[in-house]
Amino acid sequence: MTIITYQCNFCGKKRTMEIPSELVVKIGAEGLTTYVDVHDCKDSLDAIILYVDEDFNVRSQVQAKQKEKKQEIGLNIPMPKKSELRKVFIDSIGYSPFNLQGLKIKDYLRQTQYIIEEKVIAKVKSKEHKYVSRLGFIEITALVSVEIDKDIVDTWFTQLANSFESLVVLDEEMLHYVATFLETRLDSSPQIRQLLELDLLLNSTISIIYSNETTIEIYQKNWREIIPEIDLTTHRIYKKLFILAKDNSSKKLLEIYNLLLEQITINLPFPAFLQACATFIMNGLMIINKMKFVTIPL
């Protein structure tokens, strides 16, 4: 287990994060790794960008306050223009566009624009929606079918923007599944489980899920009550999931999914996998361990 501890230069709070060795982020070419810690700072919620060396010491920290973000919404200190953002084009896995036909995410914390989908369907009338996260560092542009209720669209993409902004580490591998997930969820308002599914998705490459012998036995005896809508074949797939997660201390959530796919003969879409994991977590049968900073009590 690796521990990163630092004292915020701006509010004085001591913050710490425990990282399983398998989740340690690779050191960049400059010899440092970047982490983002969003917490209640001196006067308000702020994002602190941390630069951590190979010995996991915080070498420097920058307060990325909203007023320092960027020029285009009338804030004080200019940042690089839109055209200067690094562009990353993401190919989605298992995605069939209909509800969602376009998605762009501008991340000013990481100076990157992620272009996840641009698959317009001529026969489906769509409308562009724009969202900004609570601190203003994430901007989302989504092209969504006009058949989807605007309140539902607003709720989903506001949550997505805020969740993106709060990520300690953004691993681009999970972006291959974002459009696929949203396409299957946009037709209804997110409930507690769906919000957990979104969180699991965004942290799928920087989190570990695990179960134990007791929870496997509980699931085996009570699976019809836990997930009454599934059939026997799906139950057997989920039992394999429990076995893969048994006493797991190294395999990431997305890795568990890919291992599961190797053991089954039918297709299990990633959104369905996330739904199952969220249900098991909410029932106390699985535990998720992800990167997060917490304040050390004085």
Side-chain angles (χ1 to χ4, degrees):
M1 184 72 70
T2 297
I3 299 177
I4 295 176
T5 301
Y6 81 103
Q7 183 167 15
C8 179
N9 288 342
F10 309 97
C11 67
K13 293 178 181 177
K14 288 188 176 180
R15 304 276 290 169
T16 188
M17 175 174 64
E18 295 182 352
I19 310 176
S21 57
E22 291 75 17
L23 298 183
V24 171
V25 181
K26 293 181 180 179
I27 299 295
E30 69 284 0
L32 299 171
T33 302
T34 302
Y35 296 86
V36 177
D37 179 20
V38 176
H39 67 269
D40 288 316
C41 203
K42 187 174 182 180
D43 300 314
S44 61
L45 193 69
D46 279 319
I48 310 299
I49 302 176
L50 305 173
Y51 298 93
V52 180
D53 65 20
E54 60 183 3
D55 295 319
F56 304 102
N57 298 312
V58 176
R59 299 296 298 271
S60 63
Q61 53 182 286
V62 177
Q63 187 181 34
K65 297 181 69 174
Q66 181 179 357
K67 67 181 181 181
E68 297 173 346
K69 185 174 70 74
K70 58 185 183 348
Q71 194 173 17
E72 64 202 66
I73 57 176
L75 302 176
N76 296 336
I77 300 177
M79 292 289 282
K81 297 178 181 179
K82 293 182 181 180
S83 60
E84 295 178 358
L85 289 177
R86 178 177 71 105
K87 285 187 178 182
V88 175
F89 293 87
I90 304 295
D91 292 326
S92 294
I93 297 175
Y95 172 68
S96 297
F98 187 85
N99 294 328
L100 177 66
Q101 299 180 46
L103 183 61
K104 296 179 182 178
I105 301 174
K106 295 179 181 179
D107 185 340
Y108 288 91
L109 287 171
R110 300 166 183 88
Q111 288 296 295
T112 302
Q113 177 180 192
Y114 301 102
I115 302 173
I116 297 180
E117 282 305 334
E118 286 185 319
K119 294 185 178 180
V120 178
I121 304 176
K123 65 181 180 180
V124 179
K125 188 176 180 181
S126 58
K127 182 179 179 180
E128 187 175 271
H129 302 263
K130 293 189 176 183
Y131 302 90
V132 179
S133 60
R134 55 189 170 181
L135 295 180
F137 296 111
I138 303 296
E139 291 183 358
I140 292 178
T141 301
L143 192 63
V144 181
S145 167
V146 296
E147 299 298 323
I148 306 297
D149 183 87
K150 184 179 183 302
D151 289 341
I152 294 176
V153 176
D154 290 348
T155 302
W156 270 113
F157 285 102
T158 299
Q159 183 65 41
L160 178 64
N162 290 334
S163 296
F164 243 83
E165 190 172 61
S166 298
L167 284 174
V168 174
V169 174
L170 195 157
D171 187 329
E172 294 177 4
E173 184 180 359
M174 62 82 180
L175 294 174
H176 296 289
Y177 298 92
V178 170
T180 307
F181 174 81
L182 291 170
E183 172 64 31
T184 63
R185 297 294 185 265
L186 280 177
D187 54 357
S188 60
S189 298
Q191 304 301 312
I192 293 176
R193 192 192 67 193
Q194 287 77 41
L195 293 178
L196 176 55
E197 291 171 15
L198 177 62
D199 185 71
L200 291 174
L201 167 61
L202 298 182
N203 289 278
S204 58
T205 57
I206 54 171
S207 62
I208 290 173
I209 195 167
Y210 55 94
S211 63
N212 56 45
E213 189 66 40
T214 299
T215 58
I216 293 175
E217 292 178 4
I218 293 173
Y219 171 72
Q220 178 69 18
K221 292 178 180 178
N222 302 282
W223 67 273
R224 293 187 185 277
E225 290 75 31
I226 297 170
I227 313 184
E229 67 270 19
I230 66 172
D231 56 23
L232 183 59
T233 299
T234 307
H235 155 62
R236 289 170 175 164
I237 291 173
Y238 290 162
K239 186 177 179 181
K240 292 180 182 292
L241 165 59
F242 271 92
I243 294 172
L244 283 171
K246 180 183 176 184
D247 301 324
N248 176 41
S249 62
S250 62
K251 294 185 286 291
K252 302 169 187 176
L253 182 61
L254 186 54
E255 185 179 354
I256 290 282
Y257 172 67
N258 288 324
L259 289 172
L260 182 61
L261 290 183
E262 294 175 0
Q263 296 187 11
I264 61 179
T265 56
I266 64 174
N267 180 45
L268 178 66
F270 195 49
F273 170 80
L274 293 174
Q275 179 178 338
C277 290
T279 299
F280 298 145
I281 291 170
M282 292 179 68
N283 281 276
L285 300 179
M286 287 185 174
I287 295 176
I288 192 77
N289 185 10
K290 66 176 184 178
M291 293 185 185
K292 63 178 180 179
F293 281 95
V294 297
T295 299
I296 301 175
L298 297 177

